[in-house]
Amino acid sequence: MGGLLGSMLALPCFVLAGLCLPLFPLSVGVNRLLQRQPTRAGDRLAQPGTKALVLVTLPLVGVTLLAAGRWLAADDGGWLVRGFALWGGLTSLLYAFRLLSARDGQIWIGQLYTSALALVWVGVAHDVPPLLPALGLALSLLPLWFLLDGLTRRFGIARTGLYPGLALRMPRFAALFIVAVLVAVAVPFSPGFFAIADLAFGGVGANALLTLLPLSLAWLLWTWAGINLLAGIVFGEPRVDLDYADLDGRAVLGHAGGMMCLALFGLVLVERML
Amino acid sequence: MALLTYALVLLMLCSALAVQLSAPRLGEGIARISVAASAITFALAVVLFSWRLGTGDTPLLSIGLGLFSLYVDALSTLMAVLVSAVGLVVHVFSVRYMQDDPAYTRFFVLLDVIIGVILLMVLAGDLLTLLLGWHLLGVCLYFLLNHDTRRPAANRFAFWTLFTHRVGDLPLLAAIALIYHAYGTLSLPAVFEAVAAEPDKATLLGLPLAETLGLLVLLAAFAKSAQFPLHTWLPYTMDGPTPVSALMHAGIVNAGGFLINRFAPVFAETQSVLLLAFAVGLITTIMGALMMLMQSDIKKALGYSTMGQMGYMVMECGVGAFSLAIYHLIAHGVFKATLFLGSGAIIANARKDPNIPEGEIYKFMVERKVPHPPLSWVVFAGITITVPLLIVLAAHQLVDEGFLHHQGALILLLFGWITGAQTLFFVYKIGGERPFSVLLYVALSFAAVILTYVLVGHAFDALLYPDPALREALYRAASVNATTFALVLVLLMVLISAGWLVVFRSEAAQQPLTRRFRELHLRLYALLSREFYVADFYSRLAEQMLAASRRLNAWLRWV
């Protein structure tokens, strides 16, 4: 394919991909889904497991649609892809900036997901294969997703500032929570870190400024937001009117094992990148 | 040797794991594991340094992955010795200092991890491993500074630290991405060879690559080494435990100087970017020294002192004296760790007994009695201006006759002169019964310091940069037009000498300048007491950003 017709056909593919690798305002859908509260008993879409599945499968669907779009556009779709890359970069920055004030766990994850996955577009415009970075960025959110769900089950809501000081009352949970937040904001050795490096190393050759600016600024804002999350949950003076129940040994091992697997996946990403 | 090098990096990380696992059984006994690992690490670092010194080899070690290669050269092994030595001292000090702390285990785990991470950073043989270490250093420091999880102030200033460090991570990421694109490798020796082979390579935007890389590396170093205006995290992070302050001020903050030295072969190919290092270092030195004088808290004063010293270190790089910066950071690390670790005991003792010996200093500092000047101000001003100048010139002449050819050496000489003159002026100001004896002691001490500085500086030159061509290239990269330089230097010397004369004259007439220009003095005092409003500006900016983010989220209904 190729030519003007190919580009025209690629456009809907890219727009659909923009639902999965979210581009504002198409990102509203995935954010609504992640924030969905059960409307009735057995509302499967509101189940944490379903949402976790969505976090992992949406990038795969998005990458497939992207590949289809790129095939349709062939060599003539450069302008189209560059446009989407700019859109992706701006979306990432918009959501990273909004993330600074997010206090609810589900909103936080949804906005970080949007900010992170939108960056894949920046790499696509510069011929960085999108599959592994997209997976790396999405998988990095899973540990935090499950721990935030754990907080919801314990306290009824996962929100910063409501029950600070968990480091003193639930030290095991707090330790895992810290690592999960760090993994989510792409600290080494999380796959997110290597995905960022992959996008930066791959994209810088095509356009240093358009690649590095959104990547760097979004990454910086994620850190700030991550620290806000930790400050309101892990640190501070604990409340005395709440019942605290720390994780048992098996749960700790399960979470820690999952994070180790993610670190190994990160190493795979590096080896593919270099 | 490969096994030894990897063991050096891994030992502290394994120690952290062992401490965590054995805490329920050993209680505070876990400190023994940590201290033993720290001592072995120091021994391994010394062995590695001696081996490198003996053989002169610079092997690049790898475990077969793209990551985690280690580079055993003079710089990395020397830094490993410094880091492990400071780490050992801090470990030993912490055993008793942190006793009865509820988070004793966590403290030692984090301490072990951060030493391991710093060792990984200084020994990194590829840029991605360097970035990993550089990045994780800030993260580990955040948790160490947040040791008391209840204190909002600790949390707030730990956040400042992490955020500033992260600001410094970004230029390094950009530099590494540009290097990888330009040369297709991340291996440090290969990158340095490639830069030397193609010094005129340009980036996509048409900028000279070496110059761009130099700028990015400098920006990364500025954040880690608390250079103005990225300095606010350093003096404020006193809510962490004292051993962490010692580690931070003696070790971590030196990372900037290390990074600039690591990229020395890149800087050798630059034209003007080192001038930025000089300018920023100079501003930081002056700011740090001024703000240190305003502090009444000993730890905060030490914090600003570190800022000034780091400014000086960066300035040394900015004039091309790269190896001198490494000597400076080692010397500073040793004395600053001592000062921090001793500060707690000094504060406790001073509460019982100020312990200031009776004499000239007591009268001047405590009784605020200004004695009559011991000599004619003209004679003393002459001594103050000429003696330090003669000492620095003679010391340099003794060690390196060709030093006058290096603009950088002349600038450092100028600073040595100013420092010596300031010390002698203080002797004049406090007066006393035996001014000539004091003057002689000060002059001898100054001569000893300068001579040591020059001698060791040259030894470090030979150790770290044995290739004279690279040394010359670094000085050349830091040079400006010779005529302009000579004019500026002479003008500065005249201005400074005139300044000293004015100060001496006003002191002799018992009319200090602070009284004559009272309005200006008060304004400057107010500005300094608010630390130039830099921290206030950042706080206000952060509040505004958070408010804007909230408004935007509310407008977009949080989806």
Side-chain angles (χ1 to χ4, degrees):
Chain A
M1 198 58 81
L4 187 63
L5 180 65
S7 297
M8 295 302 284
L9 288 172
L11 188 62
C13 281
F14 285 155
V15 171
L16 284 173
L19 286 166
C20 308
L21 304 169
L23 295 169
F24 181 77
L26 305 172
S27 51
V28 169
V30 69
N31 277 281
R32 271 199 200 287
L33 180 65
L34 290 172
Q35 291 175 34
R36 184 184 173 93
Q37 300 298 319
T39 49
R40 56 188 161 74
D43 183 354
R44 290 201 169 189
L45 274 178
Q47 296 293 318
T50 313
K51 290 179 183 176
L53 199 65
V54 167
L55 281 177
V56 180
T57 48
L58 269 188
L60 296 176
V61 177
V63 167
T64 312
L65 286 165
L66 252 174
R70 293 219 71 172
W71 179 80
L72 286 168
D75 293 337
D76 301 316
W79 58 274
L80 191 62
V81 181
R82 278 196 297 278
F84 272 83
L86 191 64
W87 190 1
L90 290 173
T91 300
S92 179
L93 286 179
L94 173 72
Y95 274 86
F97 182 66
R98 292 176 59 189
L99 189 63
L100 295 179
S101 58
R103 296 167 70 87
D104 181 277
Q106 291 182 337
I107 295 176
W108 203 92
I109 287 279
Q111 295 195 338
L112 182 57
Y113 174 85
T114 311
S115 179
L117 270 294
L119 285 176
V120 173
W121 288 98
V122 176
V124 167
H126 307 132
D127 294 326
V128 180
L131 180 61
L132 287 179
L135 262 182
L137 289 166
L139 287 174
S140 295
L141 301 177
L142 282 185
L144 185 60
W145 175 259
F146 286 118
L147 288 172
L148 285 169
D149 179 52
L151 282 180
T152 309
R153 279 189 273 115
R154 276 176 173 77
F155 299 109
I157 185 169
R159 192 176 168 81
T160 65
L162 288 183
Y163 34 81
L166 291 192
L168 295 170
R169 294 288 176 268
M170 296 163 60
R172 288 174 176 175
F173 180 90
L176 283 172
F177 190 80
I178 286 169
V179 179
V181 170
L182 294 178
V183 169
V185 299
V187 161
F189 296 76
S190 83
F193 173 80
F194 296 115
I196 293 271
D198 194 9
L199 292 170
F201 288 12
V204 76
N207 192 324
L209 212 58
L210 278 184
T211 303
L212 292 175
L213 209 62
L215 277 173
S216 304
L217 287 179
W219 200 26
L220 186 68
L221 294 173
W222 298 350
T223 305
W224 186 351
I227 296 303
N228 287 347
L229 197 63
L230 290 179
I233 292 179
V234 174
F235 300 112
E237 192 70 47
R239 281 170 57 173
V240 289
D241 58 332
L242 295 175
D243 290 327
Y244 298 94
D246 205 353
L247 293 176
D248 59 30
R250 281 177 60 191
V252 171
L253 279 178
H255 280 289
M259 289 189 218
M260 287 296 290
C261 291
L262 279 181
L264 290 175
F265 178 65
L267 290 180
V268 171
L269 259 177
V270 181
E271 287 308 305
R272 192 203 60 82
M273 180 176 81
L274 298 177
Chain B
M1 199 42 59
L3 192 65
L4 187 146
T5 314
Y6 277 101
L8 181 61
V9 174
L10 287 174
L11 196 62
M12 293 312 290
L13 301 175
C14 294
S15 166
L17 192 64
V19 164
Q20 181 63 46
L21 293 177
S22 54
R25 200 159 39 84
L26 295 178
E28 290 196 349
I30 50 101
R32 285 199 295 273
I33 300 175
S34 203
V35 171
S38 190
I40 298 170
T41 301
F42 174 61
L44 290 179
V46 172
V47 170
L48 192 66
F49 179 68
S50 311
W51 176 84
R52 163 69 188 71
L53 214 55
T55 62
D57 291 347
T58 52
L60 180 72
L61 310 168
S62 167
I63 51 169
L65 292 172
L67 264 179
F68 305 127
S69 61
L70 301 179
Y71 189 38
V72 186
D73 71 344
L75 179 65
S76 62
T77 50
L78 183 65
M79 292 305 291
V81 171
L82 172 71
V83 170
S84 55
V86 173
L88 177 60
V89 172
V90 170
H91 269 87
V92 171
F93 180 84
S94 305
V95 173
R96 284 191 63 194
Y97 186 88
M98 299 301 291
Q99 225 165 18
D100 301 326
D101 190 293
Y104 196 74
T105 304
R106 171 157 50 87
F107 176 80
F108 274 98
V109 168
L110 284 171
L111 199 57
D112 288 356
V113 170
I114 201 166
I115 300 287
V117 163
I118 301 174
L119 286 169
L120 178 70
M121 184 186 80
V122 298
L123 285 160
D126 63 88
L127 291 167
L128 202 53
T129 305
L130 178 70
L131 181 66
L132 283 178
W134 185 260
H135 190 101
L136 283 175
L137 180 56
V139 176
C140 294
L141 187 58
Y142 169 78
F143 291 107
L144 270 172
L145 290 171
N146 239 328
H147 180 73
D148 185 352
T149 58
R150 290 170 190 263
R151 293 187 65 172
N155 187 258
R156 180 178 155 82
F157 296 127
F159 162 68
W160 282 20
T161 302
L162 179 60
F163 192 78
T164 313
H165 280 228
R166 183 54 74 88
V167 168
D169 296 340
L170 303 179
L172 190 60
L173 172 76
I176 293 172
L178 286 173
I179 287 173
Y180 188 64
H181 170 249
Y183 304 114
T185 178
L186 291 174
S187 157
L188 278 170
V191 167
F192 297 151
E193 272 176 32
V195 171
E198 294 176 88
D200 299 325
K201 215 171 167 110
T203 63
L204 281 178
L205 299 172
L207 302 167
L209 183 61
E211 208 77 0
T212 311
L213 294 177
L215 177 67
L216 291 168
V217 168
L218 282 182
L219 292 177
F222 290 167
K224 275 281 197 282
S225 284
Q227 299 298 294
F228 184 84
L230 299 172
H231 65 280
T232 46
W233 64 274
L234 185 67
Y236 281 87
T237 45
M238 297 304 163
D239 281 283
T242 295
V244 178
S245 300
L247 180 68
M248 194 164 73
H249 289 256
I252 294 168
V253 78
N254 295 323
F258 162 75
L259 190 75
I260 297 174
N261 269 272
R262 182 80 291 173
F263 281 88
V266 175
F267 283 107
E269 306 300 339
T270 59
Q271 302 296 321
S272 57
V273 80
L274 282 174
L275 291 178
L276 176 71
F278 175 72
V280 172
L282 179 63
I283 292 169
T284 308
T285 305
I286 294 170
M287 292 282 197
L290 281 175
M291 289 194 268
M292 182 187 80
L293 296 173
M294 301 294 295
Q295 308 305 319
S296 54
D297 179 307
I298 187 169
K299 283 179 78 177
K300 212 166 171 199
L302 287 177
Y304 276 115
S305 152
T306 303
M307 178 186 160
Q309 296 286 343
M310 290 303 108
Y312 203 86
M313 181 188 73
V314 168
M315 198 169 64
E316 282 167 330
C317 294
V319 298
F322 276 53
S323 54
L324 201 61
I326 292 292
Y327 169 54
H328 191 135
L329 72 86
I330 291 173
H332 171 256
V334 172
F335 84 73
K336 195 49 71 68
T338 314
L339 285 171
F340 262 107
L341 297 178
S343 63
I346 288 169
I347 293 167
N349 290 337
R351 283 183 185 137
K352 295 176 207 152
D353 172 20
N355 200 27
I356 302 174
E358 295 278 339
E360 288 90 358
I361 294 178
Y362 186 86
K363 280 184 197 153
F364 181 76
M365 299 295 286
V366 181
E367 296 178 355
R368 298 273 174 189
K369 285 181 184 163
V370 183
H372 288 295
L375 277 172
S376 151
W377 71 268
V378 180
V379 176
F380 218 104
I383 294 171
T384 301
I385 292 168
T386 51
V387 169
L389 190 62
L390 290 174
I391 290 173
V392 287
L393 278 170
H396 279 77
Q397 189 68 21
L398 194 71
V399 178
D400 179 11
E401 286 183 5
F403 78 98
L404 286 172
H405 300 302
H406 297 141
Q407 293 181 359
L410 288 173
I411 293 172
L412 294 176
L413 190 145
L414 182 76
F415 278 95
W417 172 54
I418 295 171
T419 312
Q422 172 67 39
T423 319
L424 292 186
F425 172 66
F426 190 67
V427 174
Y428 173 78
K429 209 172 169 184
I430 64 171
E433 305 291 320
R434 295 173 298 139
F436 285 109
S437 306
V438 180
L439 204 63
L440 186 66
Y441 294 147
V442 171
L444 284 175
S445 312
F446 181 67
V449 169
I450 291 290
L451 199 60
T452 314
Y453 205 74
V454 174
L455 277 171
V456 180
H458 276 78
F460 269 62
D461 243 359
L463 174 72
L464 296 175
Y465 300 106
D467 178 9
L470 178 59
R471 290 206 297 262
E472 284 301 318
L474 287 171
Y475 276 118
R476 205 172 40 247
S479 299
V480 291
N481 176 280
T483 316
T484 314
F485 177 79
L487 280 174
V488 171
L489 192 68
V490 170
L491 186 68
L492 271 176
M493 288 181 75
V494 170
L495 279 176
I496 290 165
S497 300
W500 282 119
L501 290 174
V502 170
V503 169
F504 267 102
R505 190 166 176 272
S506 58
E507 286 291 325
Q510 304 277 315
Q511 281 185 327
L513 292 174
T514 49
R515 202 181 302 157
R516 206 188 304 170
F517 300 101
R518 189 172 170 73
E519 190 64 27
L520 182 68
H521 176 239
L522 286 177
R523 277 192 196 165
L524 192 63
Y525 187 90
L527 197 63
L528 281 165
S529 66
R530 290 305 306 160
E531 295 161 11
F532 295 97
Y533 295 96
V534 177
D536 298 287
F537 171 73
Y538 288 151
S539 297
R540 186 90 181 117
L541 186 66
E543 283 165 17
Q544 297 279 343
M545 281 183 73
L546 286 173
S549 170
R550 268 193 297 275
R551 279 198 299 274
L552 189 61
N553 259 328
W555 185 58
L556 293 171
R557 303 193 175 240
W558 298 91
V559 289

